[in-house]
Amino acid sequence: MRILVTGSSGFIGSHLVEALHAAGHDVAGFDLAESADIRDATAVARHLKDVDAVCHQAAMVGLGVDVFDLPGYASVNVLGTSVLLAEMARAGVGRLVLASSMVVYGEGAYTCEVHGLVRPGPRLRADLEAGLFEPGCPVCRRPLEPGVVPEDAPLDPRNVYADTKLAQEHLAASWARMTGGQVVALRYHNVYGPRMPRDTPYAGVAAIFRSSLARGEAPQVYEDGRQRRDFVHVTDVARANVLALDPEAVPGAYNIASGVPHTIKEMADALSRACGGPEPVVTGAFRLGDVRHIVASPARARDALGFTACMSFEDGMSAFAAEPVITP
């Protein structure tokens, strides 16, 4: 097949291009680094010629720094996706693999010993300032036991990036209903690996920690470091996209995760060991909009797409620590 990859020069997109070539596909790249703006309908239409499917990776990423980021996120992620979908309809391209994110869930799954499965609301600044990082039961305030999130969990975005990723899913679903197209939305968890950009304000935490270590500085771990995440290697994410392009792949949303959660402190410790120190420092600082725990079940992706992550946490972090730091 001929596949258009938006964001083809980016962190995930560049790995996806390599994986698609290795799988025997013909790849067309589309990237802002090559003066191709996803909001430019003429440029999008030109790149869609003779394309069989699209892997849409282009996006403004990160949680957002402040309220003034709202127009940028909405423009690139929402308007840009709308332009792409309209031009796909015009070109008769009927298959889309969308790079979504686990951030659409908001907080992960929690269980109260009295009230069962519950959805805690956003954490309050006063609680975070007091060092009360774990969300309590929204009914009785008892401590909660975190669990894993399935794809049919309620969606509850809690920052501007999450808002726009959910908007992309909704727009793609509308496109599919109106055109008869098919969408596979891959909800990436914490992606890391080679070519990850350095510590810009919009970078992932793994990149920020690694950049600190490269400068000989201790990684600064927010809250108490016990936040649980699922770190999935970029080569596994690229492979998931290739599997999602299979004509037999069932449309819908899929968690793309390793299935083996780790805390932020464990990740910082692993990178620190691989770099020979210094050891991470737990600061107690926080960011409003961050969630406490978000760990998902990868069972649906395994059963329906045949996807299972191959890179172990230990091997992936050791290799990541040895990679050169990329300046965006």
Side-chain angles (χ1 to χ4, degrees), residues 105-116:
Y105 297 117
E107 284 285 352
Y110 293 87
T111 303
C112 171
E113 63 181 8
V114 174
H115 296 99

Side-chain angles (χ1 to χ4, degrees), residues 65-90:
V65 175
D66 54 40
V67 69
F68 303 109
D69 282 328
L70 285 167
Y73 276 94
S75 179
V76 175
N77 296 359
V78 181
L79 175 59
T81 298
S82 300
V83 170
L84 173 66
L85 293 169
E87 294 308 317
M88 286 176 65
R90 204 182 313 275

Side-chain angles (χ1 to χ4, degrees), residues 228-243:
R228 297 169 74 238
R229 298 289 189 272
D230 189 308
F231 298 95
V232 58
H233 198 266
V234 66
T235 56
D236 285 322
V237 170
R239 186 164 47 84
N241 276 267
V242 175
L243 292 169

Side-chain angles (χ1 to χ4, degrees), residues 258-280:
S258 73
V260 183
H262 291 273
T263 68
I264 298 293
K265 178 63 161 52
E266 287 172 341
M267 187 267 287
D269 286 338
L271 288 176
S272 180
R273 285 193 302 271
C275 292
E279 294 185 0

Side-chain angles (χ1 to χ4, degrees), residues 134-147:
E134 293 287 350
C137 174
V139 180
C140 66
R141 302 299 300 168
R142 283 182 171 82
L144 298 173
E145 181 66 27

Side-chain angles (χ1 to χ4, degrees), residues 146-196:
V148 295
V149 182
E151 286 84 354
D152 60 358
L155 303 181
D156 185 17
R158 297 190 177 184
N159 57 64
V160 59
Y161 174 62
D163 293 335
T164 62
K165 296 312 284 186
L166 182 54
Q168 287 182 325
E169 287 199 22
H170 286 321
L171 288 166
S174 293
W175 165 84
R177 286 190 294 270
M178 289 187 286
T179 65
Q182 293 189 319
V183 182
V184 175
L186 302 181
R187 292 174 179 165
Y188 302 158
H189 283 250
N190 287 68
V191 186
Y192 73 99
R195 303 173 212 152
M196 193 175 191

